[in-house]
Amino acid sequence: MGAYLTRRVLLMVLTLFGMSVLIFVMLRLVPGNIADILVDSAGIADPKEKAKIARELGLDRPIFDQYLQWVGGLVRGDLGFAYVSERPAIEEIAPRIPISAKLAGLALFFSVILGVPLGVISAVRQNSGIDYLLRIISLSGLSLPSFWLGLLILMASVQWFGMIPIYTNEPRSFIDEMLLLSIPAAAVGFRSSALIMRLTRSSMLEVLRQDYIRTARSKGASQTTVNYEHALRNALLPVVTIIGIEAAFLVGGLIVTETVFNIPGVARFLVEAILWRDYPIVQNLVMLIAFCVVVVNFLVDMAYMALDPRIKYAD
Amino acid sequence: MRNRLAIIAGGLVAAVVISAPAFAQKQGGTLRVSHRDNPPSASIHEEATISVNMPFMAVFNNLVFFDPKEKINSPDKIVPELAESWAWNDDKTKLTFKLRSGVKWHDGKPFSSKDVKCTWDALRGDEKQEIIRKNPRKVWYKNLKEVTTNGDNEVTFTLERQQPSFLSMLAAGYSPVYPCHVDSRAMRSKPIGTGPFKVAEFKRNEAIKLVKNPDYWKKGRPYLDAIEFKIVPNRSTRVLGFVAGEYDLTFDSDITFPLLKDVKDQKKDAICEARPTNVHSNLLVNRDAPPFDNPKLREALVYSLDRTPFSDILTQGNDLRGATMLPPPAGVWGMTQGELEKLPGFGPDIEKNREVARGLMKELGYGPDKPLKIKVSTRNIAIYRDPAVILIDQLKQIYIDAELEPIDTTIWYNKIQQKNYQVGMNLTGAGLDDPDGVFYENFYSTSDRNYTGYKNPEIDKMIDEQSAMTDVSKRKAMVTKIEQALLKDAARPPITHGVANTCWAPAVKNLVLQHNSIYNGWRLEDVWLDK
Amino acid sequence: MAVIDHDAALAKAGANVSGFWGQAGFLARRYPLGAVGAVLVLLFVLTALFANVIAPHDPLSTNSRASLATPGGVYWLGADFMGRDMFSRIVYGARISLAVAVGATLLGGILGVAIGLMSGFIGGWFDLATQRLMDIMQSLPLLVMALVMAASLGPSLENTIIAIAIPLVPSVARVVRSSTLSLREQPFVEAARAIGMGEVRIAVRHVLPNTLAPLIVLGTAQLGSAILTEASLSFLGLGIPEPYPSWGRMLSESAAEYVRTAPWLVIFPGVAISLTVFGTNLLGDALRDILDPRQRT
């Protein structure tokens, strides 16, 4: 167990290290850099001015030095300076994290309270009309681009309510903020809820076919008891996995949704930073996302181990 | 008492104050404005975009300023700001300003002639000055020999030769006075000015908040307590926000004509004003590489354009027909429609023009079965791409089979400068409706903004010549001559001049938009809210 | 007392079904949702292949008089800001989506198969290294990975395909690697080795065909996500450039500006994306049930 944990943690560190190299190299392959952009925004094309800016930002130094400086800083908790705002990157990133986290949390909440019960119903009533209907709905959730869903919601709310649910600077209270975020969260959450529902259904079906359920049934337990007490508890295990993984992968949905609804979160910030070639922001954000994914994966595995005594990780 | 004196010194300002009853104006309130994108920085001198000018101009003052109450900027409508008065010497090569005393920067330090000297030394290209890092309009001050101070309240600009437009350049929104004691990094993120508003907060990608400068030298101004610019990159969200009452004022020229009807339908009381943006679309033609190193082929391009569909599609027919200078009535220096039609390719009979173009193409061996294959490059942004798509469609008419090459906006100028293109669709904005500003910036062989690297000694000479002319009508004739020469040479053949709408809620009072440059006039000190 | 109707039961189980149409008909009855999916996918592929026949207008030609024309009449689905026919653009957009979906899935699939097979066969340090590389790639969500890739490659059709294909590689490689590992020890592979067959030949002739079923299932799922990712990338301005009529691109910028005045600009491309992805998902589910009975739901 201890050896397994050590190995897992080492692997996590290795993965993050690899990610840091990958993202660093890939960003340097992007045509144009921040000096180009800054010169471009002034509408000039003076190589001298560009070289000056590049020197000021340290872009002219060997790429390996730049990498060491970044990673060295990262280890010490120093994220460096954002190129565009010329402020410490942490000051740019940190205030945006809670906004995205709230949005993601809300989206996940929606997807779980919708996905799990509907998945169970769908499984219990396998091949009934309602099962087909729910399956179609869940598949459509996987098929609608979430930015399109967002645009439709915007269109509808202006058409019918004459207002738009765009995020304003400082919502008055937590409740206000949650209400404001709930619409974009629903747009993101729809997709995850579909995924969770499908997984709940299939794992529920698998459990329902198991011997111990048959045994329970033959011992005279009522259908409801069997379905909900025996089957659901066991079916939830893989669902926990997918919820965990979805939590990290919601970022993909957040990128477009934050753009559509103009929410100043980290996901939209990532896109803007990529377009601005603001390396310190992009690198750190990507590492943040990778860190979340890796940690969530780890936690899911741990939860699995805790919940299912049959699983033993030997090495 | 002092405040009244200051107003009287403003001359024209006084007239308006008398005509508008003072009791009508209300103090206070926050003006909420939508902003289209994240400004690259807050430093007006380092940038060349309305994204910076509109929000940050109110932080600064100029020495002199185009009268903000006038819709048309013209050399005879210039009012004092930090300068109380100005005078030329006899041979018009020395311009001396008497400066206002007792003015303080937002950080409390006193303003003096040293700040003026610092600013223009930096703009002239003095590398020792640390108040700017980039200098896109260096060519504006090509004729400025030196700036000298005489005590704290007097400063003299010495020119190499006379240049009547020099004062106009100082009056443009792009010419604020910067403080000597603040470095360029601070000016880019939280600039210090002497203007009616201070920067309270500049949150990237989110918002810019300006608050009233209580110690503003012009007493009783500004009326507003604060101005808040909200950065919303998606135009539909911005428009919806304006319609829903989230903003009092739209971003400059944000409401295109196809959107105008919708805004009017949704918000019946919205006040919308259409005005030329003084941004015109034009073609960049790479004359240094095949195939367009052939002058005949360039000429064919000049004769290929039908400007009506551009205007019809992009602005529902509201665009203006003009050459490089903005056409009248808003433009002070542009040609009349009659003069314009004499220019190559501007004739009203499009078929005839295209016949000329096709003739040239056939001469070069191209035809319907053997079209010339080219790439039309443009920045990968809608306002550049849309006209490029129309252009490609039109080029088919003269046996040119073009493909669009969208260029990442970050490497656009790079690519043009390296002459790594054939034809480019470009937009050129004029910070100042003045031939010196426009011609020097875009066509003078040593200009930083002449990114096509256009070099024509004849044109350079003509530009210098008109610049020194004091007789306005003679100068205008010279400007027309330059336009003809540029077009004949296919140096950035102009397509159309943009027109767009800016809208505000009826509660916003006293807002005057400038009709020959969107980059001017955003001081906002006279604007008040009737709420 | 129920009488067992053997004929009916046999028919239901698919006995005595012969011929292509017979089998198709049987499968359609057995998997009605899958059949709907197959029809949608077929429709999509045919539209893409015959776009030039179906589209009534040139999708690129602009027309000032038709700017924002309402649906109906000459322009069945209306026209966009530039006066380009929406129906024709959507029809041609199918080509782009098909090219991206098939291109990215195939490219990702081929790379994934190659890496997976090599991992499984060579093992050792190679396996270890590729596994770690796959770990790294999977530590970013698909869209984020594609976003960074697309930005570093620049906007074009080919680059978009590559940007979407690369993030698809790890899942394919993992599936292939794990089946390779289990198949490698199977008697028929041992036998092939015993008669002196080369490792590469064994991999391609014996191991690969046996991993096809899960690969097809995975591939169909990836078709849908490739289409969605392309739409998102183009929506964010990093995918297929103008003037190519990509569905995602059609939803960005000017379309979004006219949500109120010209809602058809937003509705129809979105419907096209959704129906196509819906079709591939339905088909994918059915294929999984047919080909990979262990995962049957």
Side-chain angles (χ1 to χ4, degrees):
Chain A
M1 181 71 194
Y4 171 76
L5 271 183
T6 324
R7 194 174 151 240
R8 272 304 305 261
V9 171
L10 276 179
L11 273 183
M12 275 163 66
V13 173
L14 189 67
T15 302
L16 288 175
F17 166 71
M19 191 70 232
S20 73
V21 175
L22 191 70
I23 188 67
F24 194 86
V25 172
M26 261 163 59
L27 275 181
R28 265 86 194 154
L29 295 177
V30 178
N33 64 29
I34 180 73
D36 290 312
I37 301 212
L38 291 177
V39 167
D40 178 277
S41 77
I44 50 175
D46 182 352
K48 249 186 13 231
E49 300 227 11
K50 205 160 73 189
K52 196 170 93 189
I53 294 172
R55 207 176 324 119
E56 202 182 302
L57 296 173
L59 296 171
D60 57 340
R61 292 175 35 226
I63 190 162
F64 188 65
D65 283 8
Q66 294 183 42
Y67 176 76
L68 279 188
Q69 191 193 3
W70 170 51
V71 172
L74 213 55
V75 172
R76 292 191 308 271
D78 171 14
L79 303 190
F81 267 77
Y83 288 159
V84 180
S85 66
E86 303 177 76
R87 290 171 57 206
I90 185 81
E91 285 177 26
E92 293 280 307
I93 294 174
R96 294 168 208 268
I97 293 175
I99 300 173
S100 289
K102 279 178 216 158
L103 186 58
L106 211 54
L108 201 63
F109 173 72
F110 284 154
S111 54
V112 172
I113 57 162
L114 260 177
V116 174
L118 291 182
V120 171
I121 292 172
S122 199
V124 171
R125 303 276 198 80
Q126 195 191 2
N127 291 333
S128 68
I130 191 154
D131 177 34
Y132 270 85
L133 183 71
L134 287 174
R135 281 167 70 189
I136 290 174
I137 291 175
S138 83
L139 262 188
S140 72
L142 292 178
S143 312
L144 297 183
S146 54
F147 59 93
W148 188 57
L149 196 60
L151 280 172
L152 291 184
I153 291 174
L154 277 182
M155 257 164 80
S157 60
V158 172
Q159 191 67 46
W160 293 316
F161 308 114
M163 52 76 76
I164 36 166
I166 40 173
Y167 192 85
T168 50
N169 235 11
E170 285 98 23
R172 254 150 263 127
S173 68
F174 183 73
I175 304 284
D176 271 4
E177 190 177 1
M178 283 300 160
L179 282 177
L180 212 54
L181 287 178
S182 63
I183 292 170
V188 193
F190 188 38
R191 184 186 167 79
S192 329
S193 79
L195 215 61
I196 290 174
M197 186 183 136
R198 277 161 65 86
L199 204 83
T200 311
R201 178 176 180 275
S202 63
S203 75
M204 187 77 183
L205 282 178
E206 194 146 311
V207 175
L208 286 175
R209 278 190 221 116
Q210 303 281 320
D211 291 341
Y212 65 96
I213 296 288
R214 286 203 201 120
T215 316
R217 237 179 242 150
S218 64
K219 276 161 67 183
S222 81
Q223 191 66 29
T224 325
T225 319
V226 171
N227 284 345
Y228 296 102
E229 285 193 9
H230 292 81
L232 183 58
R233 201 177 329 142
N234 289 292
L236 272 183
L237 210 55
V239 175
V240 169
T241 321
I242 201 80
I243 290 173
I245 291 166
E246 261 311 285
F249 277 70
L250 271 176
V251 176
L254 291 186
I255 288 177
V256 284
T257 310
E258 288 185 353
T259 304
V260 171
F261 289 90
N262 204 50
I263 296 166
V266 272
R268 195 187 87 184
F269 194 40
L270 175 68
V271 181
E272 311 232 346
I274 289 177
L275 295 176
W276 276 96
R277 312 288 189 270
D278 201 336
Y279 301 157
I281 298 284
V282 181
Q283 284 162 192
N284 291 319
L285 279 182
V286 165
M287 288 310 288
L288 177 74
I289 295 169
F291 179 78
C292 290
V293 172
V294 169
V295 168
V296 165
N297 280 340
F298 175 72
L299 291 179
V300 164
D301 281 358
M302 294 297 113
Y304 231 96
M305 222 174 356
L307 289 174
D308 190 342
R310 283 172 305 177
I311 298 175
K312 286 277 180 292
Y313 294 93
D315 64 323
Chain B
M1 198 56 208
R2 250 188 75 196
N3 107 54
R4 189 158 307 159
L5 277 178
I7 290 170
I8 290 168
L12 250 152
V13 183
V16 175
V17 170
I18 291 161
S19 66
F23 60 83
Q25 284 128 18
K26 288 185 190 161
Q27 293 276 347
T30 298
L31 180 71
R32 299 160 308 157
V33 192
S34 60
H35 195 299
R36 65 172 182 185
D37 57 5
N38 186 39
S41 83
S43 182
I44 292 179
H45 278 306
E46 290 197 32
E47 312 295 346
T49 162
I50 182 68
S51 298
V52 176
N53 280 39
M54 187 180 178
F56 292 108
M57 205 183 285
V59 176
F60 297 101
N61 285 121
N62 286 16
L63 287 170
V64 292
F65 202 47
F66 281 118
D67 189 341
K69 303 213 165 42
E70 293 284 338
K71 284 181 185 290
I72 306 289
N73 304 153
S74 81
D76 53 340
K77 299 273 170 54
I78 291 176
V79 296
E81 259 197 322
L82 290 177
E84 279 176 325
S85 66
W86 64 88
W88 287 98
N89 70 345
D90 290 340
D91 69 349
K92 304 251 166 135
T93 53
K94 278 183 196 287
L95 177 60
T96 303
F97 293 94
K98 284 256 178 300
L99 302 180
R100 201 172 291 283
S101 53
V103 176
K104 283 198 169 20
W105 293 103
H106 293 159
D107 57 5
K109 298 228 167 65
F111 156 78
S112 82
S113 58
K114 278 188 213 72
D115 296 307
V116 180
K117 183 173 162 53
C118 265
T119 306
W120 272 273
D121 277 348
L123 294 176
R124 268 175 51 224
D126 180 355
E127 300 270 337
K128 287 193 292 291
Q129 301 297 335
E130 297 198 331
I131 52 176
I132 53 171
R133 175 165 76 177
K134 289 179 286 173
N135 188 9
R137 280 168 297 277
K138 193 167 143 193
V139 71
W140 278 22
Y141 302 106
K142 164 180 177 296
N143 187 35
L144 174 61
K145 200 154 95 191
E146 60 172 347
V147 183
T148 44
T149 57
N150 181 14
D152 278 352
N153 294 322
E154 195 179 298
V155 63
T156 301
F157 287 72
T158 306
L159 308 182
E160 305 268 3
R161 57 158 167 83
Q162 63 173 2
Q163 184 183 16
S165 289
F166 191 77
L167 194 67
S168 298
M169 300 203 188
L170 297 185
Y174 274 125
S175 308
V177 181
Y178 271 20
C180 246
H181 62 276
V182 181
D183 70 4
S184 69
R185 174 183 279 196
M187 291 308 282
R188 286 192 294 272
S189 50
K190 202 173 177 190
I192 301 287
T194 53
F197 294 93
K198 300 190 203 187
V199 178
E201 186 180 53
F202 174 17
K203 259 194 180 164
R204 304 279 162 166
N205 299 304
E206 251 180 86
I208 300 157
K209 191 160 185 188
L210 308 182
V211 293
K212 180 179 186 157
N213 172 10
D215 304 319
Y216 192 43
W217 53 270
K218 202 185 263 185
K219 292 291 174 260
R221 298 288 190 288
Y223 293 115
L224 298 168
D225 282 342
I227 307 174
E228 202 177 312
F229 292 87
K230 227 3 170 341
I231 298 166
V232 184
N234 184 316
R235 186 180 344 220
S236 55
T237 317
R238 286 198 300 276
V239 172
L240 293 174
F242 175 70
V243 165
E246 300 258 349
Y247 315 115
D248 307 305
L249 169 66
T250 66
F251 190 73
D252 190 300
S253 305
D254 206 18
I255 308 298
T256 59
F257 280 90
L259 286 173
L260 181 63
K261 197 184 154 301
D262 188 39
V263 170
K264 286 286 207 182
D265 284 351
Q266 289 289 300
K267 197 175 164 69
K268 299 258 184 303
D269 59 353
I271 299 165
C272 293
E273 189 170 316
R275 75 193 211 285
T277 53
N278 208 350
V279 173
H280 75 275
S281 47
N282 52 69
L283 295 186
L284 305 178
V285 187
N286 188 352
R287 58 183 55 238
D288 298 315
F292 291 100
D293 53 347
N294 186 333
K296 284 218 169 115
L297 210 49
R298 295 204 294 270
E299 200 182 345
L301 272 188
V302 170
Y303 280 100
S304 71
L305 298 170
D306 180 0
R307 292 172 170 83
T308 312
F310 284 93
S311 175
D312 284 352
I313 292 179
L314 302 175
T315 63
Q316 298 189 339
N318 287 282
D319 265 0
L320 300 174
R321 199 70 50 93
T324 303
M325 297 303 299
L326 182 71
V332 179
W333 300 92
M335 283 180 251
T336 60
Q337 289 306 307
E339 290 171 312
L340 206 59
E341 286 184 1
K342 291 183 208 132
L343 289 177
F346 274 84
D349 188 347
I350 301 300
E351 256 325 289
K352 210 175 109 198
N353 293 341
R354 286 196 171 148
E355 217 32 72
V356 174
R358 282 191 285 261
L360 287 162
M361 293 299 288
K362 278 185 183 144
E363 235 176 272
L364 296 170
Y366 300 105
D369 305 320
K370 189 182 172 255
L372 169 66
K373 282 201 187 300
I374 63 161
K375 276 190 175 163
V376 170
S377 312
T378 199
R379 277 178 114 135
N380 197 10
I381 327 175
I383 50 168
Y384 281 74
R385 258 188 344 246
D386 289 353
V389 171
I390 303 171
L391 173 74
I392 286 172
D393 205 25
Q394 291 198 1
L395 290 178
K396 282 183 205 150
Q397 302 283 330
I398 65 158
Y399 320 132
I400 295 181
D401 188 1
E403 193 191 334
L404 185 73
E405 185 190 26
I407 308 297
D408 192 284
T409 184
T410 54
I411 50 172
W412 167 242
Y413 287 121
N414 242 336
K415 196 170 164 86
I416 299 299
Q417 200 201 11
Q418 289 166 5
K419 305 204 182 293
N420 186 9
Y421 71 105
Q422 294 176 314
V423 170
M425 171 60 73
N426 187 45
L427 294 180
T428 303
L432 175 64
D433 181 28
D434 181 277
D436 276 13
V438 173
F439 289 148
Y440 274 117
E441 233 179 89
N442 300 313
F443 300 104
Y444 203 78
S445 49
T446 57
S447 163
D448 269 356
R449 295 250 297 152
N450 176 8
Y451 33 75
T452 52
Y454 182 70
K455 273 195 183 59
N456 187 335
E458 290 286 304
I459 295 280
D460 280 0
K461 218 179 97 205
M462 281 155 90
I463 294 176
D464 282 335
E465 215 172 299
Q466 64 78 30
S467 171
M469 285 180 169
T470 40
D471 183 319
V472 173
S473 62
K474 272 193 194 142
R475 189 173 172 200
K476 225 169 168 175
M478 192 73 195
V479 168
T480 304
K481 240 174 92 184
I482 295 174
E483 295 258 36
Q484 283 164 342
L486 287 172
L487 200 57
K488 208 168 248 152
D489 211 8
R492 302 203 199 180
I495 302 176
T496 59
H497 281 263
V499 177
N501 302 277
T502 308
C503 298
W504 56 91
V508 179
K509 306 288 184 192
N510 243 357
L511 181 70
V512 181
L513 301 181
Q514 320 257 286
H515 280 231
N516 50 350
S517 178
I518 54 173
Y519 305 98
N520 296 340
W522 293 107
R523 202 67 90 214
L524 300 172
E525 59 188 28
D526 295 315
V527 172
W528 55 280
L529 277 174
D530 190 13
K531 273 190 189 161
Chain C
M1 183 82 189
V3 178
I4 298 168
D5 182 347
H6 287 282
D7 285 348
L10 275 175
K12 200 175 167 212
N16 309 324
V17 174
S18 62
F20 175 77
W21 291 111
Q23 289 197 356
F26 164 72
L27 285 174
R29 256 171 282 126
R30 182 84 172 72
Y31 303 99
L33 289 181
V36 172
V39 169
L40 284 172
V41 171
L42 193 67
L43 209 64
F44 163 63
V45 173
L46 289 179
T47 309
L49 293 180
F50 297 103
N52 47 343
V53 183
I54 299 167
H57 299 266
D58 176 354
L60 304 184
S61 119
T62 60
N63 178 355
S64 56
R65 268 152 313 191
S67 180
L68 301 178
T70 46
V74 191
Y75 301 104
W76 301 343
L77 302 183
D80 69 2
F81 174 57
M82 313 281 281
R84 296 175 295 196
D85 177 40
M86 282 301 280
F87 179 69
S88 305
R89 286 180 73 70
I90 287 175
V91 166
Y92 271 90
R95 268 194 185 172
I96 304 269
S97 284
L98 183 71
V100 170
V102 173
T105 309
L106 273 186
L107 182 63
I110 290 168
L111 288 175
V113 166
I115 292 175
L117 277 180
M118 278 156 72
S119 256
F121 264 88
I122 300 174
W125 65 269
F126 182 85
D127 181 35
L128 209 64
T130 48
Q131 284 310 299
R132 294 294 76 79
L133 188 64
M134 299 297 115
D135 275 350
I136 293 166
M137 287 171 66
Q138 285 195 315
S139 66
L140 279 188
L142 180 69
L143 186 60
V144 176
M145 193 72 188
L147 203 66
V148 179
M149 295 282 309
S152 40
L153 293 167
S156 79
L157 179 61
E158 296 82 3
N159 290 345
T160 306
I161 291 177
I162 298 172
I164 297 173
I166 302 296
L168 296 180
V169 170
S171 49
V172 177
R174 292 241 146 103
V175 166
V176 175
R177 175 180 174 270
S178 67
S179 12
T180 307
L181 285 180
S182 66
L183 285 168
R184 213 168 57 159
E185 313 305 328
Q186 297 281 318
F188 71 94
V189 174
E190 302 267 310
R193 203 170 278 138
I195 61 166
M197 232 183 190
E199 291 285 312
V200 177
R201 229 173 123 206
I202 294 174
V204 176
R205 290 285 296 277
H206 295 284
V207 176
L208 188 56
N210 284 293
T211 60
L212 265 187
L215 269 186
I216 288 172
V217 171
L218 188 63
T220 334
Q222 292 191 340
L223 279 181
S225 71
I227 295 175
L228 279 179
T229 309
E230 183 273 317
S232 302
L233 283 182
S234 296
F235 174 74
L236 294 169
L238 282 162
I240 313 280
E242 276 277 351
Y244 300 113
S246 141
W247 291 339
R249 161 68 77 190
M250 286 161 84
L251 282 171
S252 72
E253 290 175 12
S254 66
E257 272 173 35
Y258 302 107
V259 272
R260 283 203 25 79
T261 35
W264 56 90
L265 296 185
V266 173
I267 293 172
F268 296 127
V271 169
I273 299 173
S274 307
L275 274 184
T276 308
V277 179
F278 189 55
T280 59
N281 283 343
L282 284 177
L283 184 65
D285 272 12
L287 284 179
R288 187 190 53 201
D289 290 355
I290 296 165
L291 295 172
D292 198 358
R294 276 167 309 168
Q295 288 187 37
R296 180 170 292 167
T297 51

